Amino acid sequence: MKILFALLVVAAGMVAPTQAGINARLSQWVHSNFLAALVSFMVGTLGLLVLTVALRIPWPALSTVSASPWWVWIGGFGGAFLVTVTIIAVPKLGATTMFAFFLAGQMLASLILDHFGLLGYPVHPISMWRVVGVFLLCAGVLLIKNT
């Protein structure tokens, strides 16, 4: 089962630079990075709405919504930031360099989130080998950027 999840994550990783390129081209047609991001989110929202209805996934009860911490509802802002930044950056940096920096940021944040168990992540303390691994990935970013 872990192999299936790993393959799904690899597939999602392959979609990310493709989506960034598509959205960057869209921004040229609509003459706005922000409008391109909005269109991207609208299309994604429509797709998820169709899927949710087709799978008959029930909406949460209002009591569940009101009992949840406020911050669980703002993840879309991070997604909007991410998509908009990729639209702006990919034409200037290229897919490989942009996603190398993206990966470096992900790894640094992941170390912190795992170490402290933030946002519900299981605790995985920072170790020398984890730091070395992130350092090597960041070194890879520099190699990619400077070639």
Side-chain angles (χ1 to χ4, degrees):
M1 197 60 148
K2 285 186 178 182
I3 291 174
L4 174 62
F5 286 119
L7 291 174
L8 285 172
V9 172
V10 168
M14 294 173 73
V15 169
T18 306
Q19 178 194 27
I22 290 169
N23 288 338
R25 291 290 293 178
L26 175 63
S27 74
Q28 293 173 343
W29 287 97
V30 299
H31 306 291
S32 168
N33 296 321
F34 299 106
L35 186 56
L38 177 64
V39 170
S40 178
F41 271 85
M42 288 172 51
V43 171
T45 299
L46 179 60
L48 288 171
L49 178 63
V50 168
L51 184 64
T52 302
V53 170
L55 294 176
R56 293 186 164 94
I57 298 172
W59 291 92
L62 189 56
S63 60
T64 301
V65 172
S66 61
S68 303
W70 65 270
W71 52 267
V72 300
W73 302 102
I74 63 169
F77 288 119
F81 175 73
L82 185 154
V83 168
T84 304
V85 167
T86 62
I87 290 170
I88 294 167
V90 81
K92 293 169 179 48
L93 299 175
T96 304
T97 300
M98 187 198 68
F99 275 99
F101 281 117
F102 187 80
L103 176 62
Q106 285 180 315
M107 295 309 301
L108 292 171
S110 296
L111 267 180
I112 294 165
L113 292 170
D114 278 353
H115 181 75
F116 294 106
L118 300 173
L119 304 177
Y121 283 101
V123 173
H124 294 283
I126 292 176
S127 69
M128 180 187 70
W129 292 116
R130 291 182 125 215
V131 171
V132 168
V134 170
F135 175 78
L136 290 173
L137 285 168
C138 292
V141 169
L142 294 175
L143 291 173
I144 290 168
K145 173 67 177 117
N146 291 322
T147 58

